[in-house]
């Protein structure tokens, strides 16, 4: 650190012995050692404090990076969730259209400005191809809901009054 060799230290020790004398030299050496230890401790303290601050800044930087990464991931997840929700809505709409086509009731879309039939209107207004079955009618329950020209099921009993 100071580039002091052994010969230079020997010269300083001889000068100190001559100047201070043999009685005061041990006290002066203890005093100088005390100050050197205090200076080293102070230097180590400053060095450790700087290292702690640098570590704290590094941790803060890492936390900001992680927080930014989490926000990016969250936005990506929200976007993919919204896309999946839209796809599921499209599939659900397509499934309803197909189900309505299978049932024989055309389903109007809201984008065309038409009114969609509700379950109540479907129940109140059966398709014209299916005959209405009223309680106490002469039609057999096994053939209820079948078109008039459809053959009766094989296991249906004839209803004789």
């Amino acid at each position: 650190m100071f580039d002091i060799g052994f010969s230079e230290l020997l010269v300083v020790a001889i000068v100190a012995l001559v100047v201070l004398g043999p009685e005061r030299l041990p006290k002066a050496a203890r005093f100088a050692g005390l100050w050197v230890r205090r200076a080293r401790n102070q230097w180590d303290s400053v060095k450790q404090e700087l290292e702690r601050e640098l570590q704290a800044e590094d941790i803060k930087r890492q936390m900001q990076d992680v927080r930014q990464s989490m926000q990016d991931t969250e936005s990506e997840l929200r976007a993919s969730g919204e896309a999946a929700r839209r796809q599921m809505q499209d599939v659900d709409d397509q499934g309803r259209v197909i189900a309505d086509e299978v049932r024989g009731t055309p389903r109007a879309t809201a984008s065309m400005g038409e009114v969609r039939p509700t379950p109540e209107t479907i129940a109140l207004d059966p398709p014209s191809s299916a005959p209405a079955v009223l309680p106490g009618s002469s039609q057999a329950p096994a053939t209820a809901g079948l078109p008039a020209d459809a053959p009766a099921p094989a296991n249906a009993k004839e209803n004789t009054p």
Side-chain angles (χ1 to χ4, degrees):
M1 185 165 118
F2 289 110
D3 196 28
I4 298 175
F6 180 73
S7 60
E8 294 163 342
L9 282 176
L10 188 62
V11 170
V12 170
I14 292 174
V15 170
L17 181 63
V18 170
V19 171
L20 296 175
E23 298 90 30
R24 291 189 290 179
L25 185 61
K27 289 181 185 178
R30 276 190 229 116
F31 186 72
L34 177 70
W35 279 103
V36 168
R37 268 184 260 132
R38 284 185 183 174
R40 282 186 183 170
N41 288 339
Q42 189 66 27
W43 175 252
D44 289 340
S45 168
V46 168
K47 191 168 132 182
Q48 288 175 356
E49 188 174 333
L50 285 173
E51 287 175 357
R52 278 193 302 260
E53 286 181 18
L54 290 175
Q55 287 176 350
E57 287 179 21
D58 189 38
I59 290 172
K60 285 179 185 177
R61 208 173 311 119
Q62 288 176 355
M63 285 180 58
Q64 288 175 349
D65 292 344
V66 168
R67 194 174 289 140
Q68 182 64 37
S69 173
M70 287 176 57
Q71 288 174 349
D72 293 344
T73 304
E74 180 185 10
S75 64
E76 289 174 8
L77 284 174
R78 286 187 192 271
S80 65
E82 186 62 33
R85 192 174 298 123
R86 275 188 254 119
Q87 287 178 349
M88 288 302 294
Q89 184 65 35
D90 291 344
V91 168
D92 187 41
D93 289 343
Q94 290 173 357
R96 289 179 191 210
V97 168
I98 292 171
D100 287 345
E101 288 174 0
V102 167
R103 280 191 223 127
T105 57
R107 185 178 182 98
T109 59
S111 64
M112 299 170 76
E114 298 178 12
V115 177
R116 291 184 177 188
T118 63
E120 293 83 21
T121 60
I122 292 172
L124 295 176
D125 187 24
S128 61
S129 64
V133 177
L134 299 174
S137 71
S138 63
Q139 189 175 10
T143 61
L146 293 176
D149 58 342
N155 63 353
K157 296 179 185 176
E158 289 199 27
N159 208 2
T160 54

